[in-house]
Amino acid sequence: MPLFFLIQEISDISPLYGFLYSLLTGIISSFIFIFLLLYLLRPNIKISPSICYIRMESDGNYYYVFKIVNYSLFSTYDVNINLEKKQPYMVNRGSKINHQLISIETSSSHKDHLPAFKSAKGVGEHAYLIRTSEDLKESIINKRITVRMTVSSKHGLTNLHRTVTQDFLKSDIIKEDKEFVFGKSLETV
């Protein structure tokens, strides 16, 4: 039996049942639409799980380089980038552990705009590289210290916000004398 006739039969039984049925289906469809909208129209930023340790030809110094990519269909703006060391310390006479967050200086901590993802070959505007000269290998080797990158941004169309974090825990994620693949990939070559 088609849905239209079922609704008609419910309405024939009682106008109140028809109203409640319409109200319930409207609320359910609105919730589904809103949750899909909130899920799909938030920034989709990814942080590379690897760190490249490379020599910059411009000044001859070595830097640790991180890559973030905007995989959203829309631009993202107000991008804030934080790189920090999470170091434990004892509190309550040694009975509890808390963490101190120590900021690590980077080449950029804010970007006004990161363009939308484009899958065209030779386009890499949606990717962004951040570097630091601070020695991260010693911090990552130390099991007590966690190096963490946090990126927060707003969606260009809906203004919805998302924060993404990546913890760097093992020294094998540092790729010496390698660089990131151009564009959307988070891999190294």
Side-chain angles (χ1 to χ4, degrees):
M1 176 180 297
L3 183 62
F4 174 75
F5 292 119
L6 180 64
I7 294 171
Q8 189 65 34
E9 284 183 19
I10 291 173
S11 297
D12 289 341
I13 296 171
S14 168
L16 180 61
Y17 287 143
F19 173 75
L20 291 176
Y21 179 78
S22 298
L23 182 67
L24 185 63
T25 56
I27 290 172
I28 290 171
S29 62
S30 295
F31 272 116
I32 291 171
F33 176 74
I34 289 294
F35 283 117
L36 281 174
L37 186 73
L38 291 176
Y39 179 76
L40 296 174
L41 293 182
R42 286 184 5 186
N44 187 11
I45 301 285
K46 302 277 189 224
I47 304 170
S48 172
S50 302
I51 303 170
C52 289
Y53 184 64
I54 57 173
R55 183 176 170 269
M56 295 291 175
E57 292 185 21
S58 60
D59 62 5
N61 294 328
Y62 277 86
Y63 293 95
Y64 292 91
V65 180
F66 302 83
K67 184 176 183 180
I68 63 172
V69 178
N70 178 16
Y71 286 103
S72 304
L73 297 175
F74 297 93
S75 297
T76 183
Y77 68 96
D78 197 18
V79 182
N80 293 305
I81 305 152
N82 295 321
L83 183 63
E84 53 199 11
K85 288 191 279 188
K86 184 177 158 185
Q87 191 167 354
Y89 66 93
M90 304 302 276
V91 294
N92 292 350
R93 297 187 189 111
S95 65
K96 304 211 183 222
I97 297 175
N98 206 349
H99 291 89
Q100 177 182 16
L101 298 175
I102 302 166
S103 186
I104 298 172
E105 186 177 339
T106 58
S107 58
S108 175
S109 62
H110 182 80
K111 184 157 176 64
D112 291 328
H113 175 263
L114 200 55
F117 174 76
K118 291 184 178 74
S119 60
K121 200 169 189 109
V123 177
E125 298 170 337
H126 55 277
Y128 190 59
L129 298 175
I130 301 105
R131 68 181 185 198
T132 183
S133 59
E134 188 168 322
D135 186 15
L136 296 179
K137 191 166 193 171
E138 293 299 318
S139 297
I140 291 174
I141 288 173
N142 186 342
K143 300 260 188 240
R144 295 171 35 111
I145 297 176
T146 301
V147 174
R148 173 180 286 168
M149 177 170 271
T150 305
V151 178
S152 63
S153 64
K154 293 180 182 176
H155 193 275
L157 178 67
T158 62
N159 204 26
L160 295 172
H161 182 269
R162 177 174 276 170
T163 300
V164 181
T165 62
Q166 176 73 42
D167 289 340
F168 303 98
L169 304 171
K170 298 179 182 174
S171 62
D172 64 347
I173 53 105
I174 297 174
K175 310 297 182 186
E176 294 189 21
D177 295 320
K178 295 196 176 217
E179 59 185 329
F180 289 104
V181 174
F182 180 80
K184 68 179 179 180
S185 176
L186 296 173
E187 302 297 318
T188 59
V189 290

